[in-house]
Amino acid sequence: MALEIYKKVFPKEHCWDKHKEIQPSLVILYFGGNDSQDSDFPNSSNVPLDEYVENMRKIALHIKGLLEKTHLIMLSAPAVNEELILKFYGDNRGRSNEVGRKYAEAGVKLGQELGVPVVNFFEALYEKPGVFWDGMHLTAEGSKILFEKFQKVIKEADWEPTLDWDKMPTEYADIGTDMHLEKLMKETTHIGTDMQLEKLMKDTEDKTIGITDSDSQEPKPHEIILDA
């Protein structure tokens, strides 16, 4: 399926000028979980290992050939919790760590060959407690582990421009400076003062009308009069 659409998702040929502004800064290429499923399992989505590697190669090379600003991280096939899968689904869903490890190792090797950073998803999850809620899909803890792996790659990558949050230039550098903060505070104070004065005048007017002699409309000694 991916081979049928990846060039449409990441267009390049014959439409460079049209699409160059919408190319992503970072692509995370991840296949392998379903591809490593046992081919004998009903409705299996298995892709033979050699074919899997070549498919990943085609997609990775295409993405690498987009723009210089488009960076790529490959994510290997994952580990699973076989015991939890069996408990949750009543069968193994065609998943095993024995096969998953082979796909993961092949993905890591391919990334090294292509010069693309790879997160070894298998090693990150293998035999870790609390990372799956059903043996295959991640819990919050599993997602946190994966996020930290990506974060490490991004921080260590020698990319230009960098995607490391701590090193990225501030897009609106003048916002938040002392000068602008001081100006904002003055404007806010001014706005607040005007609103308070207007409210005070209205409240005073209401009180004056309420306590003024209805016949003479002359102010009583205890009234407050504001001279506009």
Side-chain angles (χ1 to χ4, degrees):
M1 180 65 176
L3 291 180
E4 298 174 4
I5 65 171
Y6 75 92
K7 291 184 180 180
K8 296 179 181 179
V9 176
F10 304 107
K12 183 172 65 172
E13 294 86 350
H14 311 303
C15 50
W16 184 263
D17 291 335
K18 180 180 178 182
H19 295 287
K20 66 181 181 180
E21 296 301 325
I22 62 172
Q23 299 294 7
S25 296
L26 176 64
V27 178
I28 297 174
L29 179 58
Y30 169 52
F31 292 99
N34 293 328
D35 302 279
S36 60
Q37 190 178 31
D38 187 346
S39 59
D40 292 330
F41 190 80
N43 301 313
S44 173
S45 53
N46 172 266
V47 176
L49 182 58
D50 291 344
E51 184 179 342
Y52 164 76
V53 171
E54 289 310 306
N55 291 347
M56 291 286 283
R57 185 193 306 277
K58 290 177 183 177
I59 299 173
L61 288 175
H62 178 82
I63 294 172
K64 280 171 62 69
L66 295 176
L67 295 178
E68 290 185 4
K69 74 165 190 175
T70 301
H71 305 298
L72 175 64
I73 298 175
M74 293 174 64
L75 182 62
S76 81
V80 295
N81 184 321
E82 297 176 20
E83 182 178 349
L84 187 55
I85 291 175
L86 184 60
K87 180 179 179 180
F88 196 90
Y89 292 101
D91 57 53
N92 68 0
R93 298 284 92 185
R95 306 296 181 89
S96 74
N97 283 319
E98 180 182 0
V99 176
R101 186 191 299 274
K102 294 178 181 178
Y103 280 71
E105 291 174 349
V108 172
K109 182 179 179 181
L110 176 63
Q112 293 171 344
E113 177 187 329
L114 299 178
V116 175
V118 185
V119 170
N120 193 326
F121 203 14
F122 189 93
E123 286 188 357
L125 302 176
Y126 184 61
E127 294 187 342
K128 295 286 196 312
V131 296
F132 301 109
W133 60 268
D134 65 346
M136 296 185 293
H137 300 104
L138 299 181
T139 60
E141 178 61 26
S143 297
K144 180 175 182 290
I145 291 174
L146 184 57
F147 167 77
E148 290 172 349
K149 293 292 183 180
F150 287 138
Q151 187 179 47
K152 183 175 185 294
V153 171
I154 292 172
K155 283 185 173 294
E156 295 178 353
D158 185 21
W159 289 338
E160 186 61 40
T162 181
L163 296 181
D164 181 0
W165 174 263
D166 295 327
K167 299 176 183 176
M168 292 176 70
T170 304
E171 187 172 358
Y172 303 102
D174 57 342
I175 294 180
T177 61
D178 292 342
M179 180 181 68
H180 284 75
L181 180 59
E182 183 179 352
K183 180 180 178 183
L184 179 61
M185 290 178 66
K186 286 182 178 179
E187 291 176 350
T188 304
T189 302
H190 176 68
I191 292 172
T193 302
D194 288 348
M195 291 174 62
Q196 291 171 9
L197 179 58
E198 183 180 350
K199 183 177 187 298
L200 177 60
M201 292 178 66
K202 184 178 185 303
D203 290 347
T204 304
E205 182 182 358
D206 292 343
K207 291 178 182 178
T208 302
I209 294 173
I211 62 178
T212 300
D213 185 278
S214 58
D215 296 327
S216 65
Q217 292 296 309
E218 291 293 326
K220 304 297 183 182
H222 54 276
E223 289 177 2
I224 300 174
I225 303 300
L226 293 180
D227 186 357

